[in-house]
Amino acid sequence: MKAAVLHEVNKPLVIEDVSVPNPGPREVLIRTKVAGLCHSDLHFMEGLYPHPLPAVLGHESAGVVEKVGSDVTYVKPGDHVVTCLSVFCGTCDNCTTGRTVLCTDTTVKMLPGQSNRLSWGRKEKLNQFLNLSSFAEQMLVHENAIVKIRKDMPLELAALIGCGVITGYGAVVNTAKVTAGESVVVIGCGGVGMAAINGAEIAGAGRIIAVDTNPAKLQLATKLGATDIVDPRNGDVVQQVRDLTGGGVHHSFEVLGRKETAEQAFAMLAPGGTATIVGMIPFGQKIELHGFDFLRERKIQGSSMGSNHFRVDMPRLIEFYMRGKLHLEDWISAKLKLSEINEGFANMKAGKTVRSVIMFDA
Ligand code: NAD
Ligand code: ZN
């Protein structure tokens, strides 16, 4: 089968012939139908985050089950599934207390370089990425890295839920627990930020302020639920948000992954407000906060994959889509072949796209 391999950072992905072994007892072999391009992949391609290379990237996907291991009862061949990198064991302390995204069992949630699920007829090891590696025609994954979905859900929309949508929506609903009427700011309205805006609308937030440097993104944000828009090119973002809200917001979400915007997210909070950092700030970089702000009970927290319980959350998101509340069609800016993947990442880097998806049957 074909897969897009990252050999070296800051070099294009190369399409290679790759194979996967038969599923082990708790593994599932999936025919990949759609894979979304997420900025997290790009962070690794640019070396802002370390990963053993060569590797097959990709972590936002949907497909059809081809084969299951001897102990798998959850799915059968033909089932439609969405993948999630938040693979969980179900028995560690974090899983049993409901925080499955923080699963600590490394025999299930394997560390980078640990799994042996890809081979390519060379001596050098080919690494699986985040226990998934979606930029490949087939994926071999643990059964707890997938959720079964209804078959009338279009797979290209389902794939988006696998990372971008669950991350943005979950940051608002699960991590920050935004309640009706509260004010929300989302800094960075790409695939993940748009899901935070749409999630805030579903949660019944009051003011929803979208911040982005791209006017086309701000326009789409308005369609998805933003009540106000802020363009950083029109002046200090923190001051613009303070002016709009009469002093600051209840919840801010940084969905970009930069020091400056993370600091802005904290600085724009009203007393008692909470900043949630979703963006991946380059590995090793520190952020600076004004210590006094903690005296007025301002808080800052991280969010991993929207603190999801994906076996519950993803089918619910599909129901929201079916009821017209989650506008997934608006996310897709381009449908690409696997061979066009580098073009997709170039467009992401230029800030042109919300989401590009690889259609494996195209
Ligand atoms: P993206 O590239 O699609 O979107 C980024 C957006 O930021 C673009 O719309 C761009 O126009 C905008 N932007 C650029 N400069 C800006 C500025 N100064 N102020 C405001 N907006 C600006 O990215 P994405 O795929 O949506 O991912 C966003 C971030 O979320 C990335 O850092 C990604 O790694 C991270 N992420 C985190 C998790 C998690 O579990 N925490 C999961 C997925 C993605
Ligand atoms: Zn992602």
Side-chain angles (χ1 to χ4, degrees):
M1 58 126 166
K2 299 266 182 260
V5 176
L6 178 66
H7 289 266
E8 266 183 79
V9 299
N10 291 313
K11 291 273 164 65
L13 303 177
V14 182
I15 309 298
E16 307 269 10
D17 275 315
V18 167
S19 55
V20 285
N22 269 321
R26 297 198 63 192
E27 289 178 333
V28 177
L29 180 66
I30 299 161
R31 174 65 51 181
T32 316
K33 293 289 178 186
V34 187
L37 274 51
C38 172
H39 208 119
S40 302
D41 299 304
L42 187 58
H43 289 320
F44 284 91
M45 288 164 66
E46 293 181 326
L48 297 177
Y49 272 77
H51 196 277
L53 299 180
V56 176
L57 301 185
H59 63 276
E60 180 178 281
S61 46
V64 178
V65 173
E66 257 184 11
K67 239 187 219 178
V68 300
S70 52
D71 290 348
V72 175
T73 53
Y74 175 63
V75 285
K76 56 181 186 318
D79 283 345
H80 290 194
V81 294
V82 173
T83 60
C84 188
L85 68 88
S86 309
V87 54
F88 59 93
C89 72
T91 55
C92 72
D93 282 9
N94 282 333
C95 283
T96 16
T97 52
R99 307 185 77 186
T100 47
V101 288
L102 302 179
C103 175
T104 53
D105 183 344
T106 53
T107 62
V108 175
K109 194 181 180 79
M110 288 193 256
L111 299 171
Q114 203 184 323
S115 75
N116 289 309
R117 291 184 177 134
L118 294 169
S119 53
W120 58 342
R122 301 184 202 185
K123 275 217 179 100
E124 197 182 7
K125 176 174 172 153
L126 181 58
N127 292 287
Q128 192 180 32
F129 181 61
L130 303 175
N131 294 289
L132 295 175
S133 285
S134 305
F135 298 151
E137 290 172 329
Q138 287 174 307
M139 294 176 280
L140 184 63
V141 304
H142 191 280
E143 63 169 324
N144 287 357
I146 54 176
V147 54
K148 202 167 22 179
I149 60 162
R150 46 194 279 190
K151 284 191 175 167
D152 57 349
M153 178 65 184
L155 286 171
E156 71 267 30
L157 302 180
L160 304 175
I161 293 176
C163 176
V165 173
I166 192 73
T167 298
Y169 168 87
V172 170
V173 172
N174 297 330
T175 315
K177 297 189 171 64
V178 171
T179 57
E182 288 187 317
S183 54
V184 167
V185 169
V186 176
I187 307 174
C189 304
V192 184
M194 289 297 181
I197 289 167
N198 202 151
E201 163 79 2
I202 290 172
R207 293 292 273 284
I208 304 174
I209 304 171
V211 184
D212 203 290
T213 43
N214 180 338
K217 302 273 176 86
L218 291 174
Q219 203 183 342
L220 177 57
T222 311
K223 183 177 170 198
L224 299 183
T227 57
D228 301 86
I229 55 175
V230 165
D231 188 332
R233 294 167 306 177
N234 294 340
D236 181 44
V237 170
V238 174
Q239 197 52 51
Q240 289 192 66
V241 169
R242 287 196 177 284
D243 290 347
L244 278 171
T245 53
V249 285
H250 297 120
H251 293 278
S252 61
F253 296 87
E254 199 279 355
V255 200
L256 195 57
R258 288 200 200 143
K259 169 182 161 67
E260 318 80 72
T261 40
E263 290 168 356
Q264 285 170 0
F266 189 66
M268 65 177 59
L269 294 174
T274 304
T276 302
I277 308 298
V278 180
M280 289 176 63
I281 297 167
F283 193 83
Q285 194 165 34
K286 297 187 173 148
I287 66 167
E288 291 168 81
L289 306 174
H290 192 193
F292 169 78
D293 287 340
F294 290 107
L295 288 176
R296 306 301 307 281
E297 300 200 346
R298 292 181 177 88
K299 301 169 205 69
I300 187 161
Q301 63 183 347
S303 177
S304 173
M305 295 298 290
S307 311
N308 71 74
H309 307 99
F310 70 86
R311 290 247 176 111
V312 176
D313 294 342
M314 290 190 186
R316 286 185 184 171
L317 283 163
I318 290 172
E319 295 307 313
F320 280 138
Y321 165 71
M322 295 288 181
R323 284 165 52 197
K325 287 173 160 280
L326 184 67
H327 307 283
L328 293 172
E329 276 104 356
D330 292 321
W331 263 255
I332 298 187
S333 313
K335 295 184 180 180
L336 308 171
K337 296 188 180 123
L338 184 62
S339 57
E340 297 168 324
I341 192 164
N342 291 307
E343 209 175 290
F345 279 112
N347 286 333
M348 176 190 291
K349 205 172 169 178
K352 289 185 193 160
T353 46
V354 180
R355 269 301 193 252
S356 300
V357 291
I358 309 287
M359 305 290 292
F360 284 86
D361 288 342

